Amino acid sequence: MTDDAALALLGDDQPPVAGGLLRALWHGTRGEWEAAHAIAQDEPSAEGAWVHAWLHRVEGDDANAAYWYRRAGRPVAAGPIDAEARAITASLLRGTGGRWARSTSS
């Protein structure tokens, strides 16, 4: 899955219908932290922990982010936040074969 597909999903006007973590990233990139966090905190997987870590990094809570990076089995990220959002999204899309459902309502 390319960075282009991740950018397309994150740049879409409507959140993806399926894929809770993709929805969390979509909300997170729009500054809708509470909505994104509500989704991520309910996902017990390593991918959920990665999204959760990213969200705490966005929030500026580096200590909490570090905890979630450990839970995800990943090093603490240090690069641009938007680049990490694209990397997480691309990774999640690879897990879905690059398919995601788009919302059909506003």
Side-chain angles (χ1 to χ4, degrees), residues 45-65:
S45 68
E47 292 84 3
W50 189 13
V51 172
H52 205 151
W54 175 78
L55 284 166
H56 283 293
R57 191 169 166 236
V58 167
E59 179 189 31
D61 187 349
D62 294 336
N64 203 351

Side-chain angles (χ1 to χ4, degrees), residues 1-105:
M1 187 54 46
T2 68
D3 203 40
D4 291 341
L7 281 171
L9 183 139
L10 293 175
D12 207 347
D13 290 340
Q14 298 294 319
V17 174
L21 291 175
L22 293 172
R23 286 180 70 88
L25 287 157
W26 187 90
H27 285 293
T29 59
R30 284 158 178 74
E32 300 168 2
W33 194 90
E34 294 293 332
H37 189 255
I39 295 167
Q41 71 182 358
D42 287 339
E43 174 55 57
S45 68
E47 292 84 3
W50 189 13
V51 172
H52 205 151
W54 175 78
L55 284 166
H56 283 293
R57 191 169 166 236
V58 167
E59 179 189 31
D61 187 349
D62 294 336
N64 203 351
Y67 167 80
W68 287 102
Y69 282 114
R70 284 191 302 275
R71 294 273 312 260
R74 296 188 166 273
V76 174
I81 288 172
D82 59 334
E84 185 180 14
R86 288 190 307 274
I88 297 169
T89 301
S91 177
L92 292 172
L93 288 172
R94 278 192 299 275
T96 65
R99 296 175 306 277
W100 71 90
R102 294 182 183 204
S103 176
T104 57
S105 63

